[in-house]
Amino acid sequence: MATTACFIIVSRNDIPIYEAEVGSAVKKEDAAHQHQFILHAALDIVQDLAWTTSAMFLKATDRFNDLVVSVYVTAGHILNILMLLHDSRNEDGIKSFFQEVHELYIKILLNPLYLPGSRITSSHFDTKVRALARKYL
Amino acid sequence: MTNYLAQFQAIKNASDRIVVAVEDVSELWPIVKEKFEEKLPFKKASLNNKTRNPVYIENLPAEFILTTDARLRSRVPQELSLFWFREPYATIILVSCEDLDEFKTILKPRLKLIVQNDEREWFIVFVSKALPDNDQATKLAKKVYSRLEVDFSTKKRERCCKFDLHGNDSSFWEDLESKIVESIRNTLDRRVQFYEEEVRKLTEQRFMPVWSFSNFFILKESLAFMFEMVHLYEDALREYDELELCYLETVNTSPIKQREFGGFDHGDDQAMLLKPDHKPLTQFIQNDSFREFEFRQYLFACQSKLLFKLSRPAEVSTRGYSFIINYSKLLASHENDLPFCLREIWVITACLAIIKYTTFHYDGGLVTAEVEKEFYRLQGDFFSLSRVKFMRLAYLIGHGAEIDKSPVNSAELSMLPWPRPAVWPLVPPDVSSEIFEKEKIMLQSNPTAEHFGIQRKALPLEPSSLLREANRRRASLSTPNLSDLSDGRQNLKDGSGVGGSSRFSPQNKERSSSMPRTYSSPMNIESSHVVLDRPMRLSEIQVASEHALKKTLSDPDLWTSLSSKQNFEKKYMELTKGAADNYHRSWWKRHAVALDGEIAAVYFRHGDFDLAANSYEKVCALYAGEGWHDLLADVLPYLAECQKILNDEAGYLSSCVRLLSMDDGLFLTKERQTFQSEVVRLAHSEMKNPVPLDVSSLITFSGTHGPPLELCDGDSGTLSVTVWSGFPDDIILESLNLTLTVTFTADEGINAIKCSNVTILKPGRNTIILDLPPQQPGSYVLGVLTGQIGHLRFRSHSFSKGGPPDSDDFMSYEKPVKPVLKVFKPRPLVDISAAVSSALLMNEVQWVGMVVKPINYSLRGSILHIDTGPELDIKNSQMIEIENSSVFVQDSPNLVDTEITRNDANLESCGNHKRLVLENGKIELPDWASNVTTIVWLPVCATDKKLSRGTSAACPQRQSVLDGMRIVALKLEFGASRNQKFERTVAVHFTDPFHISTRITDRGNDGALLLQVILHSQVKATLTIYDVWLDLQEGFEHIHKDSGRPSSSFFPLVISPSSRASILFSICLTNMVPGVVSDALQSDSILNIKYGISGERTTGAHEPVSESSDGSKVELHFKSAIFLQRPVLDPCLAVGFLPFPSDCLRVGQLVRMEWRVERLKETESLSSTGNDEVLYEVDASSENWMIAGRKRGHVSLCSKRGSRIVVTVTCIPLVSGYVHPPHLGLPDVGKANIRCNPPGPHLVCVLPPMLSSSYCVPI
């Protein structure tokens, strides 16, 4: 399992709707802050990159010292982006992680009570994502 | 071959263009040199590149060198094919000959000799010196030239051209240039082929032990250089790329050779990325060993030089960035051996150099937008990279306090490992004063003031504790334990505030912060300095790093930037700004804006709050716009602080509101309370320009759950609204207003409703009750919430929290706005009608029923105003009764509804019957009557002063209904606040119980009359007649002279509703004295009826209301006047008008008028008086008639029947026309006794007077 991993779902308009620190490393409270910052800055690259390819999994789009930002773009209304900041090199695992989280996300979207674009607060979703992270990352 | 390196470099430096050799056979060069050199460089050249494809080159530079020149002669021919690139590419043989023989004998053999060497590309230029006017010479020259052509030109190739020294020569120069270029092309092809062959050979031997990279390098470089010389930069670049590739392969695949890495020379810290000739090759290539440090930079420099020549500075950036990254990694792997921080310094200088050169070469034209974006992005990357490294260096030498602990810096620095020298630099001797200085600075530097008391842990700027790292790398020390570092940590906390202590528990922290600062006193340092094995303290580390850095750093500018705090900040600012600007240009707004925040932080520290606020606003706008609240929470307090200092009250307030409206987890409750207190403080202060504040994110509202409030038109009500407050504490709102917006109507109906009294909002959910004035019909949704906190007006647009933030894009997701209020269109809410339509008794107190029927609307608390019209009184002594109408069946259209209502009413208030008191003309309806149909019974009395009159049965003249109509005006005030009004005027019909008609049924000879009085019952009630009597008028009397009562034992007589009864009276005429009739005391007979009535008030007339309800039948008295007319056919006298004697009457002509008066019967009464005279009177209009004679007088008339007399009066008509004739009246005789027979004419015609001719005198 990756020591550092920060997973985030960004809805269109670049609004983060779900964040989770899924790394196994001891949680530093300031790290989350940094991770958010790195992921936010990586959106600059994603916005350039997302339209150049038809692939959903954009692999490692940005590197920050030892950390890598992997991105998975869903076929959302305009763009829904799943972003993962991680230090592991297991690309296949990350891809599987993204795919399964995408499925979970679609299930959330199908919930009639969920307003697309709003924050995902489902604890069930959170648990599942963390389980997936343990499995794949 | 390595030995040739120096020579190679010298040659390379010396030759920068291709050489064209000139073999000056006939000593002509001095004459033509100038003209030849004028044509340089060659305008157009078509050369073949490495792949044998033609490439057109403009302005190919070249140089003409005589073969006798020292530069060419000094060379040993074919000395080294390696340096072939500098050999002439073409040979021009300049000849001139004016004699054919001379040519044959001397020149030709000589030329043959020269051109023998086939290696060279040669051609002959024949210079004709002949003047144009000298035909012979010209001819001769032509001959010689043609000879020359025959001898040297072949079919394949023209090797001759003729130059007329004095002639027109434009075609010659073209010819010459093409020939030279052809030669160059051929030579180049051959040489390329040669080099390629060589390279191929070497490549084949590559894995042999004898193989040397330097040979390969020289070959490749020569080839590349040759390409460069002929301006085939693309090919040259390719060669360099291949060379680099090969080098990297060689470096990576031959680990046997331990090569020197390099980087120890002075100035090596400065990247020589763009200066290929910065160091001579020999310096880093020795004995087939290439120092990687220099060589790779050299290769890159060569490549970038070519790229600049190709006008591709953007590519230099691209390649440069990856080169710097890779190279930096390479440096990191050799960091142990390299000077302290060389890597960092190298990266800074490399980045700055690339920025400088690429910016210089980049003109921005002729590139696509994509390339431009990419270029600026890379510039930004370079700036950013150099900025990070610069910060790292600054941090090491103790400028850490000047670096903002923002997420950017923290992320960049805390993940960047420390420099890893083999041994951390030691503290040089005699620097205790410097250490002391550092200590002082550390102690003096204030921890940054926290705004709003936000206790945020500072983000780390170190990957791990510097203290630990530095001490660990000291050779003589093992890793120090924590206790050794405790004082150092103290410094960290107080001074640079490094987050290395974040791992310690809070208790530990508190204890450490409460430690006395004397721990790091100079005394301590002095003592510690002596002991070398003691772990270094932070100040020592910094001083040591500074000294080590000074040694490494060769760039004075960079050192200046690091030497003082001010210079550091200046450079830091320059780099940050550069990065931000370039990122902005490349549309990487997130990167750029983050750096803007850094710039703002510097401005903020320097007190440039205006600029800082500007930059912070940009940052906040981005983070807020994209909803990254964690990041926003970091910056917003600074913006707020700036605005506070700048006195930007509006901005400050909105910032405070934004701070308050952030997610709960981002700030502590205490901090949030501080924000609130700031808002409240400002709100209550005297603001210069009070601005409305948007608190949409903080105070949200929605209608209550459930169906909307439904109101009828005109009704007021109360609307309950749920308001969520995001304030951490209770907040007092001086006022609170809400607007309601009409939906689904064309006109923009916006109404404000108010909750004017002070409201206190608790944190979280509040329910506010708002008074609702009457609204127009329609469906309403909540609009805007406005209100006041202190002097501050605020407004909120948003509904409930939890949804996505408001933006245009989310319109499609917006929840359908739920109406909170529905006001129905006006409809009848209540109906009031008369309960009974049949007539009631006049002049008696009767119950008038008013049916009050609510139509699905509550009449609770309603008031009924009753106003009676004229001739109708409400008997105040009587109580008004109200009862349920359940017993009263009404055929209303919505019978079903009333049924239901009735049933309900039956359940709860069956038989409800209440008495109400009328006060000031109004009554209040009881509550039980609010939803049921009720009847209000009013005791009223209609008065009618007129006596009812009987009519003759012969001509039944019914009484007008209107006479009995009385009006009751009713006004019902009802609704929640009695806002609804219902007015109705109810007509009530009153009538007498009977209608009397009479007729004479029979007439006796004795003058007795049988008078039948018919009683029509007019009411829907049973009438019982107890007694009837008739008071007769003058001139009539009852036959039996009794009281006028019919002596009948039929009484009581019962008359059913609407039926008739009749009573007979026997009366006779009495004699009347004429003259007495006129002033009759009683002109009418009066019929008196005593009767009783039994009826229901629900059907019509009923017993009069009486206070004493003892149950005994009340006898009512009804009077009706009957006019009895005496029989009139009883004339005594007849007056006849005798006709005029003449046909026509004329004005002024006398006329006799005659009336005949005849006595028709004898009158005893008159005769008894003995008066036979009759009084006559002529009545005529004095305007029309002049009467001659007595107008009035007595004539005697015999009292015998049949006696007659003629009364004559002479009159003169005065006016012509139709006029009334005079009339004879008998004043003493009643009109009834006079009969006019024949009657006089009504009008007579009077002609105008005859024309008088008496004054006309005949001639």
Side-chain angles (χ1 to χ4, degrees):
Chain A
M1 186 167 177
T3 46
T4 308
C6 177
F7 174 65
I8 205 158
I9 300 179
V10 179
S11 92
R12 53 203 200 88
N13 298 342
D14 309 322
I15 296 168
I17 53 171
Y18 174 78
E19 298 148 30
E21 287 287 333
V22 289
S24 61
V26 185
K27 208 167 180 179
K28 281 199 262 176
E29 53 182 299
D30 30 76
H33 217 69
Q34 281 176 6
H35 293 166
Q36 282 224 2
F37 170 76
I38 294 166
L39 288 170
H40 179 247
L43 282 177
D44 270 335
I45 304 163
V46 175
Q47 76 184 10
D48 289 350
L49 207 61
W51 304 105
T52 59
T53 169
S54 61
M56 288 175 122
F57 181 47
L58 301 184
K59 300 185 180 163
T61 47
D62 192 17
R63 275 166 212 288
F64 202 88
N65 293 325
D66 291 334
L67 298 179
V68 182
V69 180
S70 288
V71 172
Y72 186 88
V73 181
T74 74
H77 201 67
I78 298 293
L79 263 187
N80 274 317
I81 303 164
L82 314 183
M83 297 176 94
L84 180 73
L85 180 75
H86 56 94
D87 56 1
S88 77
R89 298 274 179 264
N90 178 10
E91 200 169 87
D92 289 340
I94 290 166
K95 190 173 182 180
S96 313
F97 171 76
F98 274 141
Q99 277 164 347
E100 298 224 358
V101 172
H102 187 198
E103 270 177 39
L104 280 179
Y105 175 64
I106 288 169
K107 278 179 194 163
I108 285 279
L109 275 181
L110 291 176
N111 183 348
L113 297 178
Y114 173 74
L115 200 63
S118 66
R119 229 160 227 285
I120 300 174
T121 48
S122 156
S123 60
H124 177 75
F125 182 77
D126 191 59
T127 322
K128 283 268 185 121
V129 167
R130 285 174 196 282
L132 285 175
R134 271 196 296 282
K135 187 174 168 192
Y136 288 115
L137 301 183
Chain B
M1 213 185 262
T2 325
N3 309 332
Y4 299 129
L5 259 180
Q7 198 184 346
F8 173 65
Q9 191 158 26
I11 291 166
K12 226 178 90 174
N13 290 340
S15 49
D16 56 342
R17 59 189 85 176
I18 55 172
V19 173
V20 177
V22 179
E23 186 79 58
D24 193 7
V25 179
S26 315
E27 304 287 325
L28 288 164
W29 183 242
I31 307 164
V32 297
K33 183 185 177 187
E34 210 170 297
K35 286 194 174 173
F36 270 61
E37 283 181 347
E38 259 175 23
K39 302 297 162 191
L40 288 178
F42 301 123
K43 302 279 174 308
K44 272 183 195 167
S46 163
L47 300 178
N48 290 333
N49 65 6
K50 204 176 161 189
T51 48
R52 305 286 182 272
N53 289 323
V55 176
Y56 290 93
I57 291 157
E58 290 180 356
N59 297 327
L60 180 68
E63 192 180 4
F64 292 109
I65 298 177
L66 280 176
T67 44
T68 49
D69 195 280
R71 279 177 288 177
L72 290 184
R73 285 185 66 191
S74 64
R75 288 176 201 162
V76 184
Q78 304 299 312
E79 148 191 80
L80 263 179
S81 49
L82 277 178
F83 303 139
W84 226 16
F85 59 84
R86 65 166 177 171
E87 294 301 313
Y89 285 77
T91 307
I92 303 172
I93 302 163
L94 276 178
V95 291
S96 177
C97 188
E98 280 151 16
D99 188 5
L100 210 57
D101 294 335
E102 190 191 334
F103 170 74
K104 276 182 185 166
T105 52
I106 305 163
L107 198 60
K108 191 178 163 187
R110 197 169 161 195
L111 288 177
K112 285 278 182 193
L113 199 69
I114 291 169
V115 302
Q116 229 172 21
N117 184 1
D118 225 1
E119 290 287 308
R120 285 189 291 178
E121 284 289 328
W122 57 269
F123 69 91
I124 299 163
V125 175
F126 179 78
V127 181
S128 156
K129 291 177 187 164
L131 293 167
D133 48 352
N134 190 342
D135 279 354
Q136 201 182 351
T138 315
K139 273 182 188 167
L140 206 63
K142 267 188 183 168
K143 267 185 189 166
V144 175
Y145 178 65
S146 59
R147 192 75 216 164
L148 194 71
E149 276 189 312
V150 170
D151 285 341
F152 292 97
S153 287
T154 58
K155 271 185 188 171
K156 278 185 195 164
R157 192 162 171 190
E158 284 280 330
R159 284 197 188 263
C160 303
C161 57
K162 185 174 158 232
F163 176 47
D164 264 331
L165 208 54
H166 303 289
N168 192 4
D169 49 3
S170 63
S171 62
F172 164 74
W173 291 117
E174 278 174 23
D175 196 22
L176 179 77
E177 191 173 317
S178 73
K179 286 215 160 55
I180 295 175
V181 168
E182 192 186 6
S183 301
I184 292 172
R185 185 167 58 230
N186 291 340
T187 317
L188 188 70
D189 287 352
R190 212 162 48 232
R191 288 182 190 170
V192 168
Q193 216 171 354
F194 163 76
Y195 278 118
E196 277 191 328
E197 190 65 23
E198 289 291 309
V199 168
R200 195 182 53 76
K201 268 189 230 161
L202 271 181
T203 315
E204 278 171 4
Q205 299 167 5
R206 192 158 147 204
F207 298 105
M208 291 181 184
V210 286
W211 189 74
S212 118
F213 180 74
S214 60
N215 290 355
F216 184 77
F217 164 71
I218 293 175
L219 264 180
K220 269 281 187 193
E221 170 113 38
S222 302
L223 179 58
F225 186 69
M226 190 170 71
F227 279 132
E228 196 184 329
M229 272 204 312
V230 295
H231 286 204
L232 289 170
Y233 298 126
E234 290 278 5
D235 296 86
L237 184 65
R238 201 171 299 124
E239 293 308 311
Y240 277 116
D241 287 349
E242 281 172 20
L243 188 58
E244 187 182 11
L245 212 64
C246 185
Y247 174 73
L248 290 180
E249 277 175 18
T250 319
V251 167
N252 293 335
T253 53
S254 58
I256 314 118
K257 264 186 197 167
Q258 278 298 326
R259 291 177 319 277
E260 198 185 345
F261 181 71
F264 292 101
D265 299 336
H266 179 73
D268 272 356
D269 60 305
Q270 292 186 56
M272 41 179 203
L273 271 187
L274 302 164
K275 298 176 200 159
D277 42 3
H278 179 72
K279 268 187 183 182
L281 282 173
T282 44
Q283 203 176 330
F284 54 88
I285 305 175
Q286 279 154 4
N287 300 327
D288 200 16
S289 100
F290 287 68
R291 287 213 311 242
E292 198 175 354
F293 181 81
E294 282 99 346
F295 187 64
R296 284 192 62 181
Q297 292 192 58
Y298 169 77
L299 284 180
F300 183 80
C302 292
Q303 289 167 359
S304 52
K305 194 176 97 186
L306 289 170
L307 284 170
F308 282 135
K309 283 186 176 164
L310 284 166
S311 306
R312 277 158 35 185
E315 203 176 332
V316 176
S317 291
T318 320
R319 285 164 173 248
Y321 190 72
S322 61
F323 179 77
I324 289 173
I325 297 297
N326 291 328
Y327 198 75
S328 174
K329 277 184 195 155
L330 182 72
L331 289 179
S333 65
H334 290 92
E335 209 172 353
N336 268 332
D337 311 323
L338 289 172
F340 183 65
C341 283
L342 179 106
R343 178 181 167 216
E344 276 77 15
I345 300 168
W346 184 89
V347 170
I348 296 172
T349 50
C351 289
L352 293 180
I354 289 189
I355 291 165
K356 188 177 154 196
Y357 281 89
T358 48
T359 317
F360 175 74
H361 281 98
Y362 184 77
D363 51 1
L366 294 175
V367 285
T368 58
E370 285 298 308
V371 173
E372 186 170 356
K373 246 175 89 174
E374 181 72 6
F375 175 72
Y376 285 121
R377 182 184 65 76
L378 283 165
Q379 297 292 92
D381 282 347
F382 285 128
F383 270 115
S384 174
L385 192 59
S386 53
R387 180 177 166 275
V388 175
K389 299 289 179 189
F390 184 66
M391 280 196 293
R392 165 52 44 88
L393 292 183
Y395 191 84
L396 276 178
I397 63 169
H399 293 311
E402 270 69 55
I403 300 173
D404 196 44
K405 285 162 203 65
S406 61
V408 199
N409 292 343
S410 171
E412 280 171 339
L413 287 178
S414 72
M415 290 182 200
L416 188 70
W418 289 115
R420 281 187 288 251
V423 178
W424 197 270
L426 286 174
V427 186
D430 308 327
V431 288
S432 53
S433 63
E434 284 178 42
I435 293 174
F436 177 65
E437 275 298 310
K438 293 269 178 207
E439 288 278 332
K440 218 170 82 181
I441 291 169
M442 258 187 234
L443 288 174
Q444 278 170 352
S445 64
N446 302 318
T448 41
E450 297 294 350
H451 319 303
F452 303 107
I454 296 171
Q455 296 297 323
R456 189 58 73 84
K457 193 174 288 169
L459 294 173
L461 293 180
E462 319 181 301
S464 58
S465 167
L466 176 62
L467 205 60
R468 189 191 290 259
E469 178 74 16
N471 281 311
R472 199 166 63 81
R473 292 205 173 267
R474 283 177 59 194
S476 54
L477 261 182
S478 58
T479 315
N481 53 29
L482 276 180
S483 59
D484 290 336
L485 296 171
S486 61
D487 58 339
R489 208 173 57 238
Q490 169 73 25
N491 289 343
L492 292 179
K493 179 98 187 112
D494 291 343
S496 50
V498 184
S501 58
S502 62
R503 287 189 197 152
F504 301 111
S505 62
Q507 292 88 355
N508 234 341
K509 240 166 52 187
E510 276 166 28
R511 209 182 307 141
S512 67
S513 57
S514 63
M515 277 180 191
R517 290 188 173 188
T518 46
Y519 252 88
S520 50
S521 67
M523 275 298 287
N524 229 344
I525 295 167
E526 291 298 334
S527 60
S528 72
H529 190 61
V530 184
V531 189
L532 275 174
D533 267 7
R534 210 196 146 282
M536 293 199 291
R537 35 184 85 255
L538 192 65
S539 51
E540 288 170 328
I541 293 169
Q542 288 173 353
V543 171
S545 307
E546 195 174 343
H547 279 267
L549 207 60
K550 201 170 184 178
K551 248 184 247 167
T552 317
L553 240 175
S554 64
D555 185 358
D557 289 346
L558 194 54
W559 177 247
T560 323
S561 305
L562 285 167
S563 59
S564 75
K565 192 177 133 185
Q566 284 72 28
N567 289 337
F568 160 70
E569 282 198 337
K570 201 174 140 206
K571 186 76 179 172
Y572 172 74
M573 197 69 171
E574 180 194 322
L575 293 177
T576 314
K577 266 186 185 167
D581 287 351
N582 281 301
Y583 278 136
H584 271 304
R585 279 189 214 164
S586 74
W587 294 89
W588 272 27
K589 55 177 181 182
R590 296 176 189 87
H591 280 74
V593 161
L595 291 165
D596 278 339
E598 298 308 301
I599 297 170
V602 176
Y603 283 138
F604 187 79
R605 246 198 332 266
H606 288 196
D608 293 337
F609 296 110
D610 218 357
L611 294 170
N614 265 343
S615 294
Y616 275 134
E617 258 165 30
K618 269 193 257 173
V619 184
C620 290
L622 179 80
Y623 287 152
E626 301 195 338
W628 292 68
H629 285 192
D630 291 28
L631 303 177
L632 181 60
D634 211 54
V635 196
L636 200 50
Y638 288 96
L639 174 62
E641 191 62 25
C642 285
Q643 287 164 332
K644 186 181 179 183
I645 294 165
L646 290 172
N647 236 355
D648 175 12
E649 282 162 335
Y652 183 54
L653 269 174
S654 82
S655 292
C656 284
V657 168
R658 277 159 84 188
L659 280 170
L660 275 170
S661 53
M662 280 213 234
D663 287 351
D664 289 346
L666 291 173
F667 291 106
L668 301 175
T669 317
K670 217 175 84 188
E671 291 157 7
R672 289 165 57 79
Q673 282 166 350
T674 320
F675 303 148
Q676 183 182 342
S677 66
E678 281 294 298
V679 172
V680 173
R681 181 183 65 78
L682 266 183
H684 286 279
S685 68
E686 292 288 326
M687 284 168 62
K688 266 182 219 156
N689 305 310
V691 276
L693 186 65
D694 194 336
V695 292
S696 303
S697 47
L698 203 53
I699 295 180
T700 57
F701 56 94
S702 73
T704 44
H705 292 291
L709 179 69
E710 291 181 348
L711 287 180
C712 292
D713 176 53
D715 264 5
S716 58
T718 53
L719 185 67
S720 149
V721 178
T722 312
V723 178
W724 282 270
S725 162
F727 287 100
D729 278 340
D730 287 3
I731 187 148
I732 301 167
L733 308 181
E734 264 68 17
S735 69
L736 187 69
N737 301 334
L738 251 180
T739 58
L740 291 174
T741 314
V742 189
T743 55
F744 315 122
T745 50
D747 54 331
E748 287 280 309
I750 292 174
N751 300 321
I753 52 172
K754 278 185 185 178
C755 173
S756 52
N757 51 342
V758 175
T759 318
I760 297 175
L761 285 187
K762 296 193 301 283
R765 187 192 168 109
N766 297 274
T767 304
I768 305 282
I769 307 284
L770 296 157
D771 288 333
L772 198 64
Q775 303 290 327
Q776 295 290 316
S779 179
Y780 290 84
V781 292
L782 292 178
V784 184
L785 180 84
T786 55
Q788 264 194 313
I789 308 173
H791 304 294
L792 186 73
R793 276 177 300 126
F794 68 84
R795 51 195 288 131
S796 166
H797 301 270
S798 59
F799 297 101
S800 60
K801 220 172 184 176
D806 269 346
S807 77
D808 291 345
D809 275 15
F810 277 103
M811 285 305 276
S812 53
Y813 287 141
E814 203 169 84
K815 281 182 273 185
V817 180
K818 205 184 93 179
V820 291
L821 171 68
K822 272 186 184 162
V823 179
F824 295 112
K825 291 220 172 77
R827 62 165 180 101
L829 301 173
V830 69
D831 189 38
I832 298 180
S833 56
V836 180
S837 56
S838 61
L840 298 174
L841 281 183
M842 184 73 88
N843 290 330
E844 300 292 347
V845 181
Q846 293 274 292
W847 290 113
V848 171
M850 295 294 161
V851 181
V852 178
K853 187 174 78 175
I855 304 171
N856 292 332
Y857 193 84
S858 170
L859 299 181
R860 189 171 292 275
S862 50
I863 286 180
L864 184 64
H865 293 261
I866 303 162
D867 186 18
T868 51
E871 299 182 325
L872 187 70
D873 293 319
I874 295 180
K875 292 294 162 193
N876 270 339
S877 55
Q878 300 293 324
M879 300 291 270
I880 290 169
E881 287 182 16
I882 180 164
E883 68 175 17
N884 201 326
S885 76
S886 54
V887 288
F888 184 76
V889 179
Q890 196 185 27
D891 44 353
S892 67
N894 39 5
L895 192 64
V896 182
D897 288 355
T898 42
E899 287 289 352
I900 292 161
T901 325
R902 200 177 308 141
N903 288 343
D904 291 348
N906 274 339
L907 285 175
E908 41 184 81
S909 60
C910 184
N912 238 326
H913 190 96
K914 203 182 162 186
R915 287 169 172 250
L916 306 168
V917 183
L918 183 73
E919 281 174 4
N920 297 329
K922 59 187 179 187
I923 54 166
E924 198 166 326
L925 295 186
D927 283 353
W928 60 262
S930 55
N931 285 316
V932 290
T933 308
T934 49
I935 308 176
V936 179
W937 292 106
L938 312 169
V940 292
C941 181
T943 50
D944 188 3
K945 296 280 164 48
K946 281 190 291 179
L947 206 56
S948 75
R949 299 194 73 87
T951 55
S952 167
C955 44
Q957 176 193 358
R958 298 291 297 183
Q959 263 185 312
S960 167
V961 180
L962 283 175
D963 290 346
M965 278 298 178
R966 296 295 182 271
I967 281 167
V968 184
L970 296 165
K971 188 166 90 174
L972 185 67
E973 287 180 348
F974 60 106
S977 57
R978 291 184 188 145
N979 52 310
Q980 301 278 7
K981 302 245 182 320
F982 180 82
E983 290 186 49
R984 168 148 298 180
T985 306
V986 178
V988 188
H989 188 207
F990 289 90
T991 180
D992 294 322
F994 304 104
H995 176 67
I996 308 294
S997 57
T998 54
R999 68 178 181 133
I1000 301 293
T1001 48
D1002 206 357
R1003 190 175 185 167
N1005 283 333
D1006 55 349
L1009 301 166
L1010 206 54
L1011 178 70
Q1012 186 185 29
V1013 177
I1014 304 161
L1015 308 175
H1016 296 257
S1017 168
Q1018 303 240 66
V1019 292
K1020 277 193 181 168
T1022 311
L1023 297 166
T1024 312
I1025 298 172
Y1026 298 119
D1027 193 8
V1028 178
W1029 70 97
L1030 183 65
D1031 292 334
L1032 287 172
Q1033 69 198 77
E1034 199 76 17
F1036 292 91
E1037 60 183 8
H1038 292 282
I1039 288 180
H1040 303 294
K1041 310 280 186 194
D1042 55 6
S1043 60
R1045 286 182 171 79
S1047 53
S1048 169
S1049 56
F1050 291 129
F1051 294 128
L1053 174 68
V1054 176
I1055 303 174
S1056 304
S1058 308
S1059 63
R1060 289 192 288 187
S1062 66
I1063 299 165
L1064 288 174
F1065 290 94
S1066 331
I1067 56 171
C1068 62
L1069 297 173
T1070 52
N1071 287 329
M1072 280 176 67
V1073 183
V1076 184
V1077 181
S1078 57
D1079 48 283
L1081 291 170
Q1082 190 185 353
S1083 57
D1084 291 320
S1085 306
I1086 304 293
L1087 182 70
N1088 295 288
I1089 302 173
K1090 288 228 165 172
Y1091 67 100
I1093 185 164
S1094 64
E1096 280 295 322
R1097 66 180 178 184
T1098 51
T1099 47
H1102 50 275
E1103 284 173 56
V1105 184
S1106 64
E1107 284 177 52
S1108 57
S1109 53
D1110 52 356
S1112 63
K1113 288 277 180 187
V1114 182
E1115 281 200 358
L1116 304 172
H1117 187 203
F1118 171 66
K1119 279 186 183 177
S1120 178
I1122 305 166
F1123 177 69
L1124 297 177
Q1125 202 174 22
R1126 283 170 66 97
V1128 288
L1129 296 173
D1130 198 18
C1132 301
L1133 297 168
V1135 177
F1137 184 81
L1138 298 182
F1140 290 114
S1142 58
D1143 287 348
C1144 53
L1145 305 179
R1146 279 185 185 278
V1147 174
Q1149 212 168 41
L1150 282 175
V1151 153
R1152 277 163 62 102
M1153 296 233 176
E1154 290 171 330
W1155 291 274
R1156 185 182 63 203
V1157 180
E1158 185 180 351
R1159 199 175 285 278
L1160 293 176
K1161 67 177 182 185
E1162 287 174 34
T1163 48
E1164 295 86 9
S1165 57
L1166 291 174
S1167 61
S1168 62
T1169 54
N1171 192 0
D1172 291 344
E1173 290 188 338
V1174 176
L1175 182 68
Y1176 76 88
E1177 191 178 34
V1178 177
D1179 180 23
S1181 161
S1182 58
E1183 288 174 3
N1184 298 340
W1185 301 93
M1186 192 170 79
I1187 296 173
R1190 289 185 63 173
K1191 273 177 143 181
R1192 186 183 167 101
H1194 289 273
V1195 285
S1196 72
L1197 183 66
C1198 183
S1199 60
K1200 290 245 171 60
R1201 182 180 177 175
S1203 58
R1204 52 179 72 180
I1205 187 171
V1206 172
V1207 179
T1208 308
V1209 174
T1210 309
C1211 309
I1212 303 171
L1214 296 179
V1215 289
S1216 61
Y1218 287 91
V1219 293
H1220 291 286
H1223 171 254
L1224 181 79
L1226 302 171
D1228 283 350
V1229 185
K1231 271 189 182 173
N1233 294 340
I1234 297 170
R1235 187 174 162 195
C1236 295
N1237 190 27
H1242 188 61
L1243 289 172
V1244 289
C1245 179
V1246 179
L1247 298 175
M1250 294 284 285
L1251 284 173
S1252 173
S1253 58
S1254 52
Y1255 298 108
C1256 304
V1257 181
I1259 303 165

